[in-house]
Amino acid sequence: MIVLALETSCDETGVAILRGDDGRVGALRLPDAAAQCPYLLASEVASQVAVHEKYGGIVPEIASRNHLIYAPRLLARATQAAKIWLSEVDAFAATSGPGLASSLMIGASIAKGLAIGFGKSYLAINHLEGHLLSPFFDCGKDSESKIKPNVSLIVSGGHTVLVFVRGLADYQAAGRTVDDAAGEAFDKVAKMLGLGYPGGPEVEKHALGGDPKCFDLPRSMLGSENFSFSGLKTAVRYLLPKIPPGEERRLTQSPYNLDEQTLRNLCASFQQAIIDVLVTKTIAAAQKFRVDLVTMSGGVSCNQELCRQMREACGRTGIQFKSADPWLCTDNAAMIAFAAMLRLQAGFESEVTEEIDPNLALVRLSGNQYSRSKR
Ligand code: KG4
Ligand code: ZN
């Protein structure tokens, strides 16, 4: 079974082709498969970061115009890399939400057109489900591809959500941010400090060698299951003008002339405040739902220190920890293809009349969005 998926929910255009084997995902070894993954035939991502950087944020119309340019090119490249014809694909999938409406429409329209043209199945996939399932995309290393009950932390630029996962398509909301997503806080604080975009990797880099206890920053809403990161961002904004300017050469484009060690200390303190909140709430949710597995996905889960501390906290409480491989953490179509493959194998498929939904909620996935396959 071959699934081709498109991801165009935001500013990354992704096309991936995934092959399952005898109703199982994984195990099939193909010569040209991506090195990390024996059954991923192709995964192409075109980033638009450089295009939007000069505007200081994503411009939706520019994003969708670029998807329209990149998607056909990536489709050609992916089929070439996978050495297959489009007619050999069994199902076409696309991210149908949440995301930017005009961006979602590009991937969904292409996937629907291909499904109609070749008379194949269509699957509308929730972007968050793509992230949520990505820790299980372990390339057949773990022959058990079944989704075990777990508490899943999806932590990205647009989302910070905790989900109690009973199994595939059986999700219960367990917490979410009431304002900024964790990645958004990384991006905004990095911007204040004059660091580049995306801010997460920049802050992580500068946090190395910094003292995470140097600045006392707030850990908001620790007693609640929900998250709030805007207070932390504001605390950094108010703190910056109070820090005496450094005498060394200014390291960044920031109006605040922090010396290198102060910048490192601030990045480390800010990063630690985010990690403390994410770890505390995730462990609390895992205990509340009595699961012995915590999974973590999304762009912020690329953060090594977050992974290390989450793994350590899970270990202390006797919980297994699984995170997506770094190449799968930021937006890509392989995770969408993987979710589509699992759904297809479980008998789900979508109508081609399925609309995109910029505010698509994850828990609705267990509702009537899908019909059981007629095959
Ligand atoms: O999942 P993703 O690619 O896109 C969304 O669906 O939002 O996540 C992008 C976010 C950005 O906010 C970026 O700053 C953050 O993930 N990020 C990181 C790291 N790498 C990416 N945050 C903290 N540490 C990192 N190493
Ligand atoms: Zn994402």
Side-chain angles (χ1 to χ4, degrees):
M1 186 189 289
I2 299 178
V3 171
L4 185 150
L6 290 111
E7 155 63 40
T8 61
S9 65
C10 194
D11 62 339
E12 246 110 32
T13 318
V15 175
I17 303 175
L18 190 65
R19 174 172 255 156
D21 186 21
D22 300 324
R24 223 156 41 91
V25 174
L28 196 71
R29 294 195 173 270
L30 289 148
D32 288 321
Q36 315 95 317
C37 194
Y39 55 90
L40 182 65
L41 303 187
S43 179
E44 303 284 338
V45 179
S47 172
Q48 299 182 21
V49 165
V51 182
H52 298 276
E53 205 168 15
K54 57 176 176 282
Y55 301 101
I58 294 157
V59 184
E61 184 177 330
I62 295 179
S64 49
R65 282 170 182 259
N66 277 303
H67 288 313
L68 206 49
I69 295 168
Y70 293 147
R73 293 184 190 164
L74 297 190
L75 262 176
R77 237 200 277 168
T79 45
Q80 216 169 23
K83 293 194 167 61
I84 59 154
W85 300 108
L86 281 173
S87 55
E88 293 174 67
V89 173
D90 298 290
F92 294 92
T95 305
S96 63
L100 299 169
S102 52
S103 287
L104 291 165
M105 270 190 250
I106 307 294
S109 303
I110 293 173
K112 286 180 184 189
L114 289 168
I116 294 169
F118 288 105
K120 302 291 175 66
S121 303
Y122 170 66
L123 283 107
I125 298 295
N126 186 307
H127 181 81
L128 293 175
E129 187 179 42
H131 279 305
L132 177 139
L133 296 173
S134 62
F136 293 93
F137 192 133
D138 53 10
C139 315
K141 275 180 260 159
D142 175 1
S143 57
E144 179 72 66
S145 64
K146 195 168 166 307
I147 308 304
K148 291 186 238 159
N150 66 90
V151 158
S152 168
L153 173 66
I154 306 169
V155 65
S156 70
H159 305 276
T160 299
V161 288
L162 272 169
V163 185
F164 171 38
V165 179
R166 290 191 194 84
L168 181 70
D170 190 354
Y171 310 127
Q172 182 178 332
R176 61 173 187 87
T177 181
V178 297
D179 41 52
D180 291 351
E184 196 178 349
F186 268 105
D187 294 337
K188 288 178 176 171
V189 164
K191 198 170 174 185
M192 282 180 222
L193 297 173
L195 304 174
Y197 178 86
E202 290 295 320
V203 171
E204 178 172 28
K205 204 164 65 194
H206 286 89
L208 290 171
D211 174 7
K213 294 201 181 86
C214 182
F215 295 101
D216 186 20
L217 294 170
R219 275 78 170 149
S220 304
M221 293 176 67
L222 274 186
S224 156
E225 58 199 13
N226 289 329
F227 301 86
S228 167
F229 293 108
S230 77
L232 173 60
K233 172 197 69 190
T234 309
V236 174
R237 176 168 293 135
Y238 286 137
L239 174 68
L240 274 169
K242 294 184 195 151
I243 302 175
E247 285 172 11
E248 294 167 29
R249 182 179 60 87
R250 179 186 280 180
L251 249 191
T252 69
Q253 299 302 308
S254 164
Y256 308 104
N257 188 22
L258 306 184
D259 63 57
E260 183 173 353
Q261 192 53 46
T262 309
L263 179 66
R264 288 186 184 280
N265 291 343
L266 186 53
C267 286
S269 301
F270 166 77
Q271 179 176 276
Q272 190 56 48
I274 296 229
I275 292 175
D276 283 349
V277 172
L278 294 176
V279 170
T280 306
K281 286 173 187 283
T282 305
I283 299 294
Q287 288 171 332
K288 175 178 166 188
F289 291 102
R290 297 173 191 279
V291 294
D292 54 13
L293 174 64
V294 157
T295 63
M296 185 166 74
S297 58
V300 180
S301 66
C302 290
N303 189 289
Q304 301 276 305
E305 191 55 23
L306 169 62
C307 275
R308 192 186 66 74
Q309 294 192 32
M310 187 70 83
R311 176 167 285 112
E312 230 174 65
C314 285
R316 278 197 302 274
T317 36
I319 297 168
Q320 193 198 341
F321 174 66
K322 217 172 164 58
S323 64
D325 285 347
W327 67 276
L328 262 176
C329 288
T330 48
D331 288 349
N332 64 85
M335 67 183 191
I336 304 301
F338 183 58
M341 178 74 80
L342 293 180
R343 281 195 165 265
L344 206 58
Q345 290 172 347
F348 291 93
E349 67 178 74
S350 310
E351 300 292 339
V352 282
T353 49
E354 177 81 38
E355 282 194 74
I356 54 116
D357 181 353
N359 301 311
L360 186 62
L362 184 65
V363 283
R364 262 184 48 198
L365 284 173
S366 43
N368 58 5
Q369 187 192 358
Y370 291 85
S371 55
R372 287 276 167 183
S373 165
K374 292 137 219 143
R375 296 157 187 235

